[in-house]
Amino acid sequence: MRLLFLCVLCCLPLHSLLAQPLCPSPLRVGFDDWPPYHYYQQDGDKRRLRGFAVDYLNAVSARLGCRLIYVERPWKRGLHELELGRQDIAMEAYFTEDRARYAWFSTAYNPGRTALWVRKAGTDDETDLGSWLAQGHRLGITRDYYYGAEISELLRRYPDQVSAVNDVQNYRKLVLGRIDGFLGDSLATPWGLKKEGLLEEVVPHVMGIYETPTSFMLSKKTISSEFVQRFNQAIMAVGKSGEHALIWRRYTSAR
């Protein structure tokens, strides 16, 4: 009987053997400092990794019985290591065809809303970003941030009115009147403004900009399609549970 069992194992293809465990643990998860999605919080004499995406991924991994190792990396380096198979998961990712060459995209877990942020006294009647730019307004965007195909095309039409810097620079340029508004994530921007003491001066414009749901990226070098299916089922389970609402409320209280 033992000999028969060994023979069966020998006849199985290698990828079938590797796919047997429910979770290819431990999973290496890259992150950078971007509150409230992933950031360190001081807890006494210890630093704890917190954030909406972190808590969501922890809830998913608990359902799968996975162990996670979080590794701090600049965003671009993390994507490169994911492509090489040196990192297993990246968080808060938009789908692009280029990334899909080397990564699976999970079921979306965050609506990914972007807003136009303006000075409190600087709101106006334009109902869309195209009309706003056509009026000659100057716009700040975040360097290396992907705004989707439609917004990216609109920004290319007004190159002299658009400047790309980091988030904090956009806050300061707006307050100083060097730009008339900037594009910012609806969840992360209030946290950044609060840190800079600008919550009372900068507000979201009433116009809608766009919504592009975000997902987890999983390396095709290290993660099987079978595991991605189980991973997605766990995401849906968290989404349908009261845990999702609890996590969301935990990180939407900056204002």
Side-chain angles (χ1 to χ4, degrees):
M1 180 63 71
R2 181 179 178 185
L3 180 60
L4 177 61
F5 174 73
L6 291 174
C7 289
V8 170
L9 283 179
C10 291
C11 293
L12 285 173
L14 180 60
H15 67 81
S16 295
L17 290 174
L18 295 176
Q20 295 308 305
L22 177 63
C23 179
S25 184
L27 294 170
R28 299 158 296 180
V29 184
F31 76 96
D32 56 0
D33 183 38
W34 192 34
Y37 291 110
H38 21 81
Y39 65 99
Y40 279 116
Q41 178 176 294
Q42 199 67 32
D43 185 8
D45 59 349
K46 296 182 179 179
R47 289 199 310 167
R48 293 179 56 203
L49 185 62
R50 299 289 308 277
F52 173 76
V54 172
D55 289 3
Y56 216 105
L57 183 57
N58 287 343
V60 170
S61 67
R63 282 168 167 76
L64 295 171
C66 296
R67 186 164 69 90
L68 305 176
I69 298 176
Y70 287 95
V71 183
E72 190 167 6
R73 292 280 188 271
W75 174 248
K76 284 189 173 181
R77 179 181 170 187
L79 292 183
H80 182 62
E81 294 198 350
L82 195 82
E83 182 175 7
L84 296 176
R86 297 173 183 168
Q87 179 177 306
D88 302 303
I89 298 178
M91 301 180 283
E92 280 302 305
Y94 293 111
F95 176 88
T96 69
E97 293 292 343
D98 181 62
R99 294 173 181 176
R101 291 185 299 102
Y102 59 86
W104 310 106
F105 280 80
S106 75
T107 297
Y109 62 93
N110 177 20
R113 298 186 181 98
T114 292
L116 172 66
W117 298 81
V118 295
R119 292 183 296 276
K120 196 168 187 177
T123 55
D124 41 52
D125 297 329
E126 282 88 1
T127 57
D128 63 84
L129 187 61
S131 299
W132 190 84
L133 286 168
Q135 292 294 320
H137 292 302
R138 299 157 298 172
L139 178 69
I141 61 174
T142 301
R143 186 184 293 115
D144 296 327
Y145 192 89
Y146 180 66
Y147 291 98
E150 185 176 343
I151 297 297
S152 296
E153 177 57 33
L154 180 61
L155 299 179
R156 281 192 287 269
R157 286 163 49 191
Y158 297 92
D160 296 334
Q161 294 169 229
V162 178
S163 60
V165 294
N166 64 40
D167 291 336
V168 175
Q169 288 175 310
N170 272 327
Y171 306 161
R172 294 170 182 166
K173 289 177 70 174
L174 179 61
V175 172
L176 293 172
R178 293 167 58 191
I179 57 175
D180 302 299
F182 64 86
L183 298 183
D185 181 84
S186 294
L187 193 59
T189 302
W191 282 65
L193 292 172
K194 184 176 182 179
K195 182 178 179 181
E196 297 298 315
L198 297 173
L199 267 180
E200 300 304 317
E201 298 182 51
V202 181
V203 297
H205 196 286
V206 293
M207 75 168 71
I209 298 300
Y210 79 102
E211 184 173 303
T212 305
T214 55
S215 305
F216 296 108
M217 286 174 62
L218 299 92
S219 175
K220 288 183 176 179
K221 287 274 190 180
T222 60
I223 304 295
S224 70
S225 60
E226 291 81 8
F227 178 76
V228 175
Q229 293 177 8
R230 295 166 177 165
F231 191 85
N232 285 337
Q233 290 169 0
I235 288 178
M236 294 174 67
V238 174
K240 293 177 180 177
S241 71
E243 194 169 8
H244 167 80
L246 180 64
I247 295 171
W248 183 256
R249 286 196 302 269
R250 190 178 297 155
Y251 296 103
T252 53
S253 58
R255 285 193 175 271

